[in-house]
Short mmCIF file of all heavy atoms in Angstrom, two decimals:
data_model
loop_
_atom_site.label_atom_id
_atom_site.label_comp_id
_atom_site.label_asym_id
_atom_site.label_seq_id
_atom_site.Cartn_x
_atom_site.Cartn_y
_atom_site.Cartn_z
N MET A 1 -92.50 150.98 -95.33
CA MET A 1 -92.51 149.83 -96.21
C MET A 1 -93.95 149.62 -96.66
O MET A 1 -94.87 149.82 -95.90
CB MET A 1 -91.95 148.66 -95.41
CG MET A 1 -92.61 147.34 -95.59
SD MET A 1 -91.88 145.96 -94.68
CE MET A 1 -91.64 146.57 -93.05
N GLU A 2 -94.11 149.26 -97.90
CA GLU A 2 -95.46 149.03 -98.42
C GLU A 2 -95.60 147.58 -98.85
O GLU A 2 -94.71 147.01 -99.46
CB GLU A 2 -95.73 149.94 -99.62
CG GLU A 2 -97.17 149.86 -100.08
CD GLU A 2 -97.47 150.91 -101.11
OE1 GLU A 2 -97.27 152.09 -100.83
OE2 GLU A 2 -97.91 150.52 -102.20
N SER A 3 -96.72 147.00 -98.49
CA SER A 3 -96.98 145.61 -98.85
C SER A 3 -97.19 145.49 -100.35
O SER A 3 -98.07 146.13 -100.89
CB SER A 3 -98.21 145.11 -98.11
OG SER A 3 -98.71 143.93 -98.70
N PRO A 4 -96.40 144.66 -101.03
CA PRO A 4 -96.60 144.49 -102.47
C PRO A 4 -97.89 143.76 -102.80
O PRO A 4 -98.42 143.89 -103.88
CB PRO A 4 -95.38 143.69 -102.91
CG PRO A 4 -94.86 143.06 -101.69
CD PRO A 4 -95.28 143.90 -100.54
N GLY A 5 -98.40 142.99 -101.88
CA GLY A 5 -99.60 142.20 -102.15
C GLY A 5 -100.89 142.98 -101.97
O GLY A 5 -101.83 142.83 -102.72
N ARG A 6 -100.93 143.80 -100.93
CA ARG A 6 -102.17 144.51 -100.60
C ARG A 6 -102.05 146.01 -100.69
O ARG A 6 -103.04 146.71 -100.61
CB ARG A 6 -102.60 144.12 -99.19
CG ARG A 6 -102.92 142.66 -99.07
CD ARG A 6 -103.51 142.35 -97.70
NE ARG A 6 -103.69 140.92 -97.58
CZ ARG A 6 -103.24 140.18 -96.59
NH1 ARG A 6 -102.60 140.75 -95.60
NH2 ARG A 6 -103.43 138.89 -96.57
N GLY A 7 -100.84 146.54 -100.82
CA GLY A 7 -100.65 147.98 -100.89
C GLY A 7 -100.89 148.68 -99.57
O GLY A 7 -101.06 149.89 -99.54
N VAL A 8 -100.90 147.94 -98.47
CA VAL A 8 -101.12 148.52 -97.15
C VAL A 8 -99.77 148.89 -96.56
O VAL A 8 -98.88 148.04 -96.49
CB VAL A 8 -101.83 147.49 -96.23
CG1 VAL A 8 -102.00 148.05 -94.83
CG2 VAL A 8 -103.17 147.09 -96.81
N PRO A 9 -99.59 150.15 -96.16
CA PRO A 9 -98.30 150.51 -95.58
C PRO A 9 -98.09 149.84 -94.22
O PRO A 9 -99.02 149.71 -93.43
CB PRO A 9 -98.37 152.03 -95.43
CG PRO A 9 -99.77 152.42 -95.66
CD PRO A 9 -100.50 151.25 -96.25
N TYR A 10 -96.88 149.38 -93.99
CA TYR A 10 -96.49 148.74 -92.73
C TYR A 10 -95.23 149.41 -92.22
O TYR A 10 -94.35 149.75 -93.01
CB TYR A 10 -96.11 147.27 -92.95
CG TYR A 10 -97.24 146.28 -92.92
CD1 TYR A 10 -97.70 145.72 -94.09
CD2 TYR A 10 -97.79 145.88 -91.72
CE1 TYR A 10 -98.71 144.77 -94.07
CE2 TYR A 10 -98.79 144.93 -91.68
CZ TYR A 10 -99.24 144.38 -92.86
OH TYR A 10 -100.23 143.46 -92.83
N THR A 11 -95.12 149.53 -90.93
CA THR A 11 -93.84 149.84 -90.33
C THR A 11 -93.25 148.50 -89.90
O THR A 11 -93.95 147.49 -89.86
CB THR A 11 -93.98 150.75 -89.09
OG1 THR A 11 -94.70 150.05 -88.09
CG2 THR A 11 -94.69 152.06 -89.45
N VAL A 12 -91.97 148.50 -89.60
CA VAL A 12 -91.34 147.29 -89.11
C VAL A 12 -92.07 146.84 -87.84
O VAL A 12 -92.36 145.66 -87.65
CB VAL A 12 -89.84 147.50 -88.86
CG1 VAL A 12 -89.23 146.32 -88.12
CG2 VAL A 12 -89.12 147.75 -90.17
N ARG A 13 -92.39 147.80 -86.98
CA ARG A 13 -93.10 147.48 -85.73
C ARG A 13 -94.47 146.87 -86.02
O ARG A 13 -94.85 145.88 -85.40
CB ARG A 13 -93.26 148.73 -84.88
CG ARG A 13 -94.12 148.49 -83.64
CD ARG A 13 -94.22 149.70 -82.77
NE ARG A 13 -93.09 149.62 -81.86
CZ ARG A 13 -92.53 150.64 -81.28
NH1 ARG A 13 -92.95 151.86 -81.52
NH2 ARG A 13 -91.53 150.47 -80.46
N ASP A 14 -95.23 147.45 -86.96
CA ASP A 14 -96.55 146.91 -87.32
C ASP A 14 -96.44 145.47 -87.79
O ASP A 14 -97.22 144.60 -87.39
CB ASP A 14 -97.21 147.72 -88.44
CG ASP A 14 -97.63 149.11 -88.02
OD1 ASP A 14 -97.82 149.36 -86.81
OD2 ASP A 14 -97.78 149.96 -88.93
N LEU A 15 -95.48 145.22 -88.68
CA LEU A 15 -95.32 143.88 -89.23
C LEU A 15 -94.89 142.90 -88.15
O LEU A 15 -95.38 141.77 -88.10
CB LEU A 15 -94.33 143.90 -90.38
CG LEU A 15 -94.22 142.61 -91.18
CD1 LEU A 15 -95.57 142.17 -91.75
CD2 LEU A 15 -93.22 142.78 -92.31
N ALA A 16 -94.00 143.33 -87.28
CA ALA A 16 -93.56 142.47 -86.18
C ALA A 16 -94.74 142.11 -85.27
O ALA A 16 -94.92 140.95 -84.89
CB ALA A 16 -92.46 143.15 -85.38
N GLU A 17 -95.55 143.09 -84.95
CA GLU A 17 -96.71 142.83 -84.09
C GLU A 17 -97.74 141.94 -84.77
O GLU A 17 -98.35 141.09 -84.15
CB GLU A 17 -97.35 144.15 -83.66
CG GLU A 17 -96.49 144.92 -82.67
CD GLU A 17 -97.07 146.28 -82.31
OE1 GLU A 17 -98.17 146.63 -82.79
OE2 GLU A 17 -96.39 147.00 -81.56
N ALA A 18 -97.92 142.13 -86.07
CA ALA A 18 -98.91 141.34 -86.81
C ALA A 18 -98.49 139.88 -86.98
O ALA A 18 -99.33 139.00 -87.14
CB ALA A 18 -99.16 141.96 -88.19
N THR A 19 -97.18 139.63 -86.96
CA THR A 19 -96.68 138.30 -87.27
C THR A 19 -96.07 137.56 -86.08
O THR A 19 -95.90 136.35 -86.14
CB THR A 19 -95.60 138.37 -88.36
OG1 THR A 19 -94.51 139.15 -87.88
CG2 THR A 19 -96.16 138.97 -89.63
N GLY A 20 -95.68 138.28 -85.05
CA GLY A 20 -94.98 137.66 -83.94
C GLY A 20 -93.50 137.47 -84.20
O GLY A 20 -92.79 136.86 -83.42
N VAL A 21 -93.01 138.00 -85.32
CA VAL A 21 -91.59 137.95 -85.66
C VAL A 21 -90.94 139.20 -85.08
O VAL A 21 -91.52 140.28 -85.13
CB VAL A 21 -91.40 137.88 -87.20
CG1 VAL A 21 -89.93 137.90 -87.57
CG2 VAL A 21 -92.09 136.65 -87.76
N SER A 22 -89.75 139.07 -84.54
CA SER A 22 -89.12 140.21 -83.88
C SER A 22 -88.83 141.34 -84.87
O SER A 22 -88.62 141.12 -86.05
CB SER A 22 -87.82 139.78 -83.19
OG SER A 22 -86.81 139.54 -84.14
N ARG A 23 -88.81 142.57 -84.33
CA ARG A 23 -88.49 143.73 -85.16
C ARG A 23 -87.11 143.62 -85.76
O ARG A 23 -86.87 144.00 -86.90
CB ARG A 23 -88.62 145.02 -84.36
CG ARG A 23 -90.06 145.38 -84.06
CD ARG A 23 -90.13 146.70 -83.37
NE ARG A 23 -89.48 146.59 -82.06
CZ ARG A 23 -89.53 147.50 -81.12
NH1 ARG A 23 -90.17 148.62 -81.34
NH2 ARG A 23 -88.93 147.32 -79.98
N SER A 24 -86.18 143.07 -84.99
CA SER A 24 -84.81 142.96 -85.52
C SER A 24 -84.78 141.99 -86.70
O SER A 24 -84.07 142.24 -87.69
CB SER A 24 -83.83 142.53 -84.44
OG SER A 24 -84.09 141.22 -83.99
N GLN A 25 -85.53 140.90 -86.63
CA GLN A 25 -85.55 139.97 -87.76
C GLN A 25 -86.20 140.61 -88.99
O GLN A 25 -85.71 140.43 -90.11
CB GLN A 25 -86.29 138.69 -87.40
CG GLN A 25 -85.48 137.76 -86.51
CD GLN A 25 -86.22 136.47 -86.25
OE1 GLN A 25 -87.33 136.48 -85.75
NE2 GLN A 25 -85.58 135.37 -86.60
N ILE A 26 -87.28 141.35 -88.79
CA ILE A 26 -87.93 142.03 -89.91
C ILE A 26 -86.95 143.02 -90.54
O ILE A 26 -86.79 143.07 -91.76
CB ILE A 26 -89.21 142.78 -89.46
CG1 ILE A 26 -90.23 141.81 -88.86
CG2 ILE A 26 -89.80 143.59 -90.61
CD1 ILE A 26 -90.86 140.85 -89.80
N GLY A 27 -86.27 143.80 -89.72
CA GLY A 27 -85.29 144.76 -90.22
C GLY A 27 -84.17 144.08 -90.98
O GLY A 27 -83.75 144.56 -92.03
N ARG A 28 -83.69 142.96 -90.47
CA ARG A 28 -82.60 142.24 -91.14
C ARG A 28 -83.07 141.62 -92.44
O ARG A 28 -82.29 141.49 -93.38
CB ARG A 28 -82.02 141.20 -90.19
CG ARG A 28 -81.25 141.85 -89.04
CD ARG A 28 -80.74 140.88 -88.02
NE ARG A 28 -79.82 139.94 -88.66
CZ ARG A 28 -79.70 138.67 -88.28
NH1 ARG A 28 -80.41 138.19 -87.28
NH2 ARG A 28 -78.84 137.87 -88.89
N LEU A 29 -84.34 141.23 -92.53
CA LEU A 29 -84.88 140.76 -93.81
C LEU A 29 -84.88 141.89 -94.83
O LEU A 29 -84.53 141.68 -95.99
CB LEU A 29 -86.32 140.24 -93.64
CG LEU A 29 -86.50 138.85 -93.06
CD1 LEU A 29 -87.98 138.60 -92.78
CD2 LEU A 29 -85.94 137.79 -93.98
N LEU A 30 -85.26 143.07 -94.40
CA LEU A 30 -85.31 144.22 -95.31
C LEU A 30 -83.94 144.60 -95.84
O LEU A 30 -83.82 145.02 -96.99
CB LEU A 30 -85.93 145.42 -94.59
CG LEU A 30 -87.43 145.33 -94.34
CD1 LEU A 30 -87.88 146.45 -93.42
CD2 LEU A 30 -88.18 145.37 -95.64
N THR A 31 -82.92 144.45 -95.02
CA THR A 31 -81.57 144.81 -95.45
C THR A 31 -80.83 143.62 -96.06
O THR A 31 -79.67 143.76 -96.45
CB THR A 31 -80.75 145.35 -94.26
OG1 THR A 31 -80.66 144.33 -93.26
CG2 THR A 31 -81.35 146.62 -93.70
N ARG A 32 -81.49 142.51 -96.13
CA ARG A 32 -80.93 141.25 -96.66
C ARG A 32 -79.77 140.73 -95.83
O ARG A 32 -78.93 139.98 -96.31
CB ARG A 32 -80.55 141.39 -98.13
CG ARG A 32 -81.76 141.70 -98.99
CD ARG A 32 -81.44 141.55 -100.46
NE ARG A 32 -82.59 141.90 -101.27
CZ ARG A 32 -83.58 141.08 -101.56
NH1 ARG A 32 -83.58 139.86 -101.11
NH2 ARG A 32 -84.58 141.48 -102.32
N ASP A 33 -79.69 141.15 -94.56
CA ASP A 33 -78.70 140.60 -93.64
C ASP A 33 -79.17 139.24 -93.11
O ASP A 33 -78.37 138.49 -92.56
CB ASP A 33 -78.46 141.54 -92.46
CG ASP A 33 -77.71 142.79 -92.86
OD1 ASP A 33 -76.98 142.75 -93.88
OD2 ASP A 33 -77.85 143.81 -92.17
N LEU A 34 -80.44 138.96 -93.24
CA LEU A 34 -81.01 137.69 -92.81
C LEU A 34 -81.47 136.95 -94.05
O LEU A 34 -82.27 137.46 -94.83
CB LEU A 34 -82.20 137.93 -91.87
CG LEU A 34 -82.86 136.70 -91.26
CD1 LEU A 34 -81.87 135.97 -90.34
CD2 LEU A 34 -84.09 137.11 -90.47
N THR A 35 -80.91 135.77 -94.26
CA THR A 35 -81.23 135.02 -95.47
C THR A 35 -82.06 133.78 -95.20
O THR A 35 -82.40 133.06 -96.12
CB THR A 35 -79.93 134.59 -96.19
OG1 THR A 35 -79.15 133.80 -95.28
CG2 THR A 35 -79.14 135.79 -96.66
N HIS A 36 -82.38 133.53 -93.94
CA HIS A 36 -83.24 132.41 -93.60
C HIS A 36 -84.13 132.82 -92.43
O HIS A 36 -83.82 133.74 -91.69
CB HIS A 36 -82.42 131.17 -93.25
CG HIS A 36 -81.59 131.34 -92.02
ND1 HIS A 36 -80.38 132.00 -92.03
CD2 HIS A 36 -81.80 130.98 -90.74
CE1 HIS A 36 -79.88 132.01 -90.81
NE2 HIS A 36 -80.72 131.40 -90.00
N LEU A 37 -85.23 132.14 -92.32
CA LEU A 37 -86.22 132.43 -91.29
C LEU A 37 -86.96 131.15 -90.99
O LEU A 37 -87.18 130.34 -91.90
CB LEU A 37 -87.18 133.51 -91.81
CG LEU A 37 -88.10 134.23 -90.85
CD1 LEU A 37 -87.31 134.99 -89.79
CD2 LEU A 37 -89.00 135.20 -91.59
N ASP A 38 -87.33 130.95 -89.76
CA ASP A 38 -88.14 129.80 -89.39
C ASP A 38 -89.34 129.73 -90.33
O ASP A 38 -89.93 130.75 -90.68
CB ASP A 38 -88.61 129.96 -87.94
CG ASP A 38 -89.58 128.89 -87.52
OD1 ASP A 38 -89.11 127.82 -87.12
OD2 ASP A 38 -90.80 129.14 -87.62
N VAL A 39 -89.68 128.52 -90.77
CA VAL A 39 -90.75 128.35 -91.77
C VAL A 39 -92.07 128.95 -91.30
O VAL A 39 -92.78 129.59 -92.08
CB VAL A 39 -90.90 126.87 -92.18
CG1 VAL A 39 -91.42 126.01 -91.03
CG2 VAL A 39 -91.78 126.73 -93.40
N ASN A 40 -92.40 128.81 -90.03
CA ASN A 40 -93.65 129.39 -89.53
C ASN A 40 -93.61 130.91 -89.55
O ASN A 40 -94.60 131.57 -89.88
CB ASN A 40 -93.94 128.88 -88.12
CG ASN A 40 -94.23 127.39 -88.10
OD1 ASN A 40 -94.85 126.85 -89.02
ND2 ASN A 40 -93.78 126.72 -87.06
N ASP A 41 -92.45 131.48 -89.20
CA ASP A 41 -92.29 132.94 -89.25
C ASP A 41 -92.37 133.44 -90.69
O ASP A 41 -92.99 134.47 -90.97
CB ASP A 41 -90.97 133.37 -88.62
CG ASP A 41 -90.94 133.16 -87.12
OD1 ASP A 41 -92.00 132.97 -86.51
OD2 ASP A 41 -89.83 133.19 -86.55
N ALA A 42 -91.74 132.71 -91.60
CA ALA A 42 -91.76 133.10 -93.02
C ALA A 42 -93.19 133.11 -93.54
O ALA A 42 -93.61 134.03 -94.24
CB ALA A 42 -90.90 132.16 -93.85
N HIS A 43 -93.96 132.10 -93.19
CA HIS A 43 -95.36 132.05 -93.64
C HIS A 43 -96.18 133.18 -93.01
O HIS A 43 -97.04 133.76 -93.67
CB HIS A 43 -95.98 130.69 -93.33
CG HIS A 43 -95.59 129.64 -94.30
ND1 HIS A 43 -96.15 129.52 -95.56
CD2 HIS A 43 -94.66 128.66 -94.23
CE1 HIS A 43 -95.59 128.52 -96.21
NE2 HIS A 43 -94.68 127.98 -95.42
N ALA A 44 -95.91 133.50 -91.75
CA ALA A 44 -96.64 134.58 -91.08
C ALA A 44 -96.37 135.92 -91.75
O ALA A 44 -97.29 136.71 -91.99
CB ALA A 44 -96.27 134.63 -89.60
N VAL A 45 -95.10 136.18 -92.08
CA VAL A 45 -94.74 137.44 -92.73
C VAL A 45 -95.36 137.49 -94.12
O VAL A 45 -95.96 138.51 -94.52
CB VAL A 45 -93.21 137.61 -92.81
CG1 VAL A 45 -92.83 138.79 -93.69
CG2 VAL A 45 -92.62 137.77 -91.41
N ALA A 46 -95.24 136.42 -94.87
CA ALA A 46 -95.80 136.39 -96.22
C ALA A 46 -97.31 136.60 -96.20
O ALA A 46 -97.85 137.35 -97.01
CB ALA A 46 -95.45 135.07 -96.90
N GLU A 47 -97.98 135.96 -95.27
CA GLU A 47 -99.43 136.11 -95.18
C GLU A 47 -99.81 137.55 -94.83
O GLU A 47 -100.73 138.12 -95.42
CB GLU A 47 -100.00 135.16 -94.13
CG GLU A 47 -101.51 135.19 -94.06
CD GLU A 47 -102.08 134.17 -93.10
OE1 GLU A 47 -101.50 133.09 -92.95
OE2 GLU A 47 -103.12 134.47 -92.49
N ALA A 48 -99.10 138.14 -93.89
CA ALA A 48 -99.39 139.52 -93.49
C ALA A 48 -99.19 140.49 -94.66
O ALA A 48 -99.94 141.45 -94.82
CB ALA A 48 -98.51 139.93 -92.30
N LEU A 49 -98.18 140.21 -95.50
CA LEU A 49 -97.90 141.07 -96.64
C LEU A 49 -98.74 140.73 -97.86
O LEU A 49 -98.80 141.50 -98.82
CB LEU A 49 -96.41 141.00 -97.00
CG LEU A 49 -95.45 141.55 -95.97
CD1 LEU A 49 -94.01 141.30 -96.39
CD2 LEU A 49 -95.69 143.04 -95.73
N GLY A 50 -99.35 139.55 -97.85
CA GLY A 50 -100.18 139.15 -98.98
C GLY A 50 -99.35 138.70 -100.18
O GLY A 50 -99.75 138.93 -101.32
N VAL A 51 -98.20 138.07 -99.91
CA VAL A 51 -97.33 137.59 -100.98
C VAL A 51 -96.96 136.13 -100.72
O VAL A 51 -97.14 135.62 -99.62
CB VAL A 51 -96.04 138.43 -101.10
CG1 VAL A 51 -96.36 139.88 -101.43
CG2 VAL A 51 -95.20 138.33 -99.84
N ALA A 52 -96.40 135.48 -101.73
CA ALA A 52 -95.90 134.12 -101.57
C ALA A 52 -94.61 134.14 -100.76
O ALA A 52 -93.85 135.13 -100.81
CB ALA A 52 -95.64 133.49 -102.93
N VAL A 53 -94.35 133.09 -100.04
CA VAL A 53 -93.14 133.00 -99.21
C VAL A 53 -91.88 133.23 -100.05
O VAL A 53 -90.95 133.89 -99.60
CB VAL A 53 -93.07 131.64 -98.48
CG1 VAL A 53 -91.75 131.46 -97.76
CG2 VAL A 53 -94.22 131.51 -97.50
N LEU A 54 -91.85 132.71 -101.25
CA LEU A 54 -90.66 132.87 -102.09
C LEU A 54 -90.32 134.33 -102.37
O LEU A 54 -89.15 134.67 -102.56
CB LEU A 54 -90.85 132.13 -103.42
CG LEU A 54 -90.91 130.61 -103.31
CD1 LEU A 54 -91.21 130.00 -104.67
CD2 LEU A 54 -89.63 130.05 -102.74
N VAL A 55 -91.30 135.20 -102.36
CA VAL A 55 -91.07 136.62 -102.62
C VAL A 55 -90.18 137.22 -101.53
O VAL A 55 -89.36 138.09 -101.80
CB VAL A 55 -92.41 137.38 -102.72
CG1 VAL A 55 -92.20 138.88 -102.76
CG2 VAL A 55 -93.18 136.91 -103.92
N LEU A 56 -90.27 136.71 -100.31
CA LEU A 56 -89.47 137.25 -99.21
C LEU A 56 -87.98 137.05 -99.43
O LEU A 56 -87.17 137.84 -98.97
CB LEU A 56 -89.87 136.59 -97.89
CG LEU A 56 -91.28 136.81 -97.40
CD1 LEU A 56 -91.49 136.04 -96.10
CD2 LEU A 56 -91.59 138.28 -97.21
N PHE A 57 -87.62 136.00 -100.14
CA PHE A 57 -86.23 135.64 -100.29
C PHE A 57 -85.74 135.72 -101.73
O PHE A 57 -84.69 135.23 -102.06
CB PHE A 57 -86.00 134.24 -99.72
CG PHE A 57 -86.38 134.16 -98.27
CD1 PHE A 57 -87.62 133.67 -97.89
CD2 PHE A 57 -85.53 134.64 -97.29
CE1 PHE A 57 -87.99 133.62 -96.56
CE2 PHE A 57 -85.89 134.60 -95.96
CZ PHE A 57 -87.12 134.09 -95.59
N MET A 58 -86.50 136.38 -102.58
CA MET A 58 -86.15 136.53 -103.98
C MET A 58 -84.98 137.51 -104.12
O MET A 58 -84.96 138.54 -103.45
CB MET A 58 -87.37 137.06 -104.75
CG MET A 58 -87.23 137.02 -106.23
SD MET A 58 -88.81 137.27 -107.09
CE MET A 58 -89.46 138.73 -106.36
N PRO A 59 -84.02 137.20 -104.97
CA PRO A 59 -82.90 138.14 -105.15
C PRO A 59 -83.38 139.44 -105.78
O PRO A 59 -84.40 139.46 -106.46
CB PRO A 59 -81.95 137.40 -106.09
CG PRO A 59 -82.70 136.28 -106.67
CD PRO A 59 -83.89 136.02 -105.78
N PRO A 60 -82.66 140.52 -105.57
CA PRO A 60 -83.04 141.81 -106.16
C PRO A 60 -83.07 141.72 -107.68
O PRO A 60 -82.31 140.98 -108.28
CB PRO A 60 -81.92 142.76 -105.72
CG PRO A 60 -81.17 142.06 -104.66
CD PRO A 60 -81.43 140.60 -104.80
N MET A 61 -83.94 142.49 -108.29
CA MET A 61 -84.08 142.48 -109.74
C MET A 61 -83.08 143.40 -110.43
O MET A 61 -82.74 143.20 -111.56
CB MET A 61 -85.51 142.90 -110.12
CG MET A 61 -86.58 141.98 -109.58
SD MET A 61 -86.41 140.29 -110.15
CE MET A 61 -86.91 140.46 -111.83
N SER A 62 -82.61 144.41 -109.75
CA SER A 62 -81.74 145.41 -110.36
C SER A 62 -80.27 145.13 -110.07
O SER A 62 -79.91 144.85 -108.94
CB SER A 62 -82.10 146.79 -109.81
OG SER A 62 -81.13 147.73 -110.18
N PRO A 63 -79.41 145.22 -111.08
CA PRO A 63 -77.98 145.04 -110.81
C PRO A 63 -77.43 146.12 -109.89
O PRO A 63 -76.43 145.93 -109.25
CB PRO A 63 -77.33 145.12 -112.18
CG PRO A 63 -78.35 145.65 -113.11
CD PRO A 63 -79.70 145.46 -112.47
N LYS A 64 -78.12 147.25 -109.77
CA LYS A 64 -77.68 148.33 -108.89
C LYS A 64 -77.81 147.95 -107.43
O LYS A 64 -77.25 148.60 -106.57
CB LYS A 64 -78.48 149.59 -109.17
CG LYS A 64 -78.20 150.19 -110.53
CD LYS A 64 -79.02 151.42 -110.75
CE LYS A 64 -78.78 151.98 -112.13
NZ LYS A 64 -79.58 153.15 -112.40
N GLN A 65 -78.59 146.90 -107.12
CA GLN A 65 -78.80 146.51 -105.74
C GLN A 65 -77.71 145.56 -105.24
O GLN A 65 -77.78 145.07 -104.15
CB GLN A 65 -80.18 145.90 -105.57
CG GLN A 65 -81.28 146.91 -105.78
CD GLN A 65 -82.66 146.31 -105.65
OE1 GLN A 65 -82.84 145.11 -105.76
NE2 GLN A 65 -83.64 147.15 -105.41
N GLY A 66 -76.72 145.28 -106.07
CA GLY A 66 -75.55 144.58 -105.60
C GLY A 66 -75.66 143.07 -105.50
O GLY A 66 -74.91 142.47 -104.74
N HIS A 67 -76.52 142.43 -106.21
CA HIS A 67 -76.61 140.98 -106.16
C HIS A 67 -75.39 140.39 -106.85
O HIS A 67 -75.01 140.83 -107.92
CB HIS A 67 -77.90 140.50 -106.85
CG HIS A 67 -78.19 139.06 -106.60
ND1 HIS A 67 -77.60 138.06 -107.33
CD2 HIS A 67 -78.96 138.45 -105.67
CE1 HIS A 67 -78.03 136.90 -106.89
NE2 HIS A 67 -78.84 137.11 -105.89
N PRO A 68 -74.74 139.39 -106.22
CA PRO A 68 -73.51 138.83 -106.80
C PRO A 68 -73.69 138.28 -108.21
O PRO A 68 -72.76 138.34 -109.01
CB PRO A 68 -73.14 137.69 -105.85
CG PRO A 68 -73.98 137.84 -104.66
CD PRO A 68 -75.11 138.77 -104.99
N ASP A 69 -74.85 137.79 -108.57
CA ASP A 69 -75.07 137.25 -109.91
C ASP A 69 -75.09 138.35 -110.96
O ASP A 69 -74.99 138.08 -112.14
CB ASP A 69 -76.39 136.48 -109.98
CG ASP A 69 -76.33 135.20 -109.18
OD1 ASP A 69 -75.22 134.75 -108.84
OD2 ASP A 69 -77.40 134.65 -108.87
N ASN A 70 -75.24 139.60 -110.53
CA ASN A 70 -75.35 140.71 -111.47
C ASN A 70 -74.07 141.51 -111.57
O ASN A 70 -74.06 142.59 -112.13
CB ASN A 70 -76.50 141.64 -111.05
CG ASN A 70 -77.84 140.96 -111.17
OD1 ASN A 70 -78.01 140.06 -111.99
ND2 ASN A 70 -78.76 141.34 -110.34
N SER A 71 -72.98 141.00 -110.99
CA SER A 71 -71.73 141.77 -111.03
C SER A 71 -71.19 141.80 -112.45
O SER A 71 -71.34 140.87 -113.21
CB SER A 71 -70.71 141.17 -110.07
OG SER A 71 -70.39 139.86 -110.48
N ASN A 72 -70.58 142.90 -112.76
CA ASN A 72 -70.02 143.10 -114.10
C ASN A 72 -68.56 142.68 -114.06
O ASN A 72 -67.72 143.40 -113.58
CB ASN A 72 -70.17 144.56 -114.53
CG ASN A 72 -69.74 144.76 -115.96
OD1 ASN A 72 -69.45 143.80 -116.68
ND2 ASN A 72 -69.70 146.02 -116.38
N THR A 73 -68.27 141.48 -114.59
CA THR A 73 -66.89 141.02 -114.60
C THR A 73 -66.40 140.98 -116.03
O THR A 73 -66.96 140.33 -116.89
CB THR A 73 -66.78 139.61 -113.98
OG1 THR A 73 -67.67 138.74 -114.68
CG2 THR A 73 -67.12 139.65 -112.50
N SER A 74 -65.35 141.72 -116.30
CA SER A 74 -64.77 141.76 -117.63
C SER A 74 -63.58 140.83 -117.67
O SER A 74 -62.83 140.70 -116.73
CB SER A 74 -64.27 143.16 -117.97
OG SER A 74 -65.23 144.11 -117.68
N THR A 75 -63.36 140.18 -118.82
CA THR A 75 -62.19 139.32 -118.97
C THR A 75 -61.27 139.86 -120.02
O THR A 75 -61.58 140.65 -120.82
CB THR A 75 -62.59 137.87 -119.34
OG1 THR A 75 -63.40 137.92 -120.50
CG2 THR A 75 -63.28 137.22 -118.19
#
C-alpha cells in the first residue's frame, strides 16, 4: 500500500505499528469491510498516511469498484 499523502510505502503491519490500530482493522479498512473507526484511531491513521480523515472513508471513484451509487440500473 502506498501513502497518497507522502508517497511512502506502508505494509499493513507498518501502518498498524505506526498508529496503534490493529492489523485486522487496517486490513478491513482497505477492503471496505470496516466503515467506521474510533475517532482517535481514524486521526492516527490519517496522520500517518498524510491525508485528511475524510479520505479514509471516501467512496470509490470508479464504478468498477462496486459502489452502490454507481450501479447501472436500467428502467
Side-chain angles (χ1 to χ4, degrees):
M1 139 178 47
E2 187 171 303
S3 163
R6 297 187 185 128
V8 177
Y10 274 106
T11 64
V12 170
R13 174 177 271 154
D14 291 338
L15 188 56
E17 289 175 3
T19 61
V21 177
S22 73
R23 287 185 295 190
S24 66
Q25 285 184 303
I26 300 291
R28 290 176 61 212
L29 281 172
L30 288 170
T31 61
R32 298 192 183 276
D33 289 335
L34 184 64
T35 58
H36 64 280
L37 194 61
D38 174 84
V39 67
N40 294 324
D41 290 345
H43 281 281
V45 170
E47 185 176 327
L49 294 175
V51 298
V53 173
L54 293 175
V55 171
L56 297 178
F57 301 98
M58 191 166 51
M61 299 300 288
S62 169
K64 293 180 183 178
Q65 293 179 340
H67 192 277
D69 292 343
N70 294 331
S71 63
N72 186 6
T73 55
S74 312
T75 55

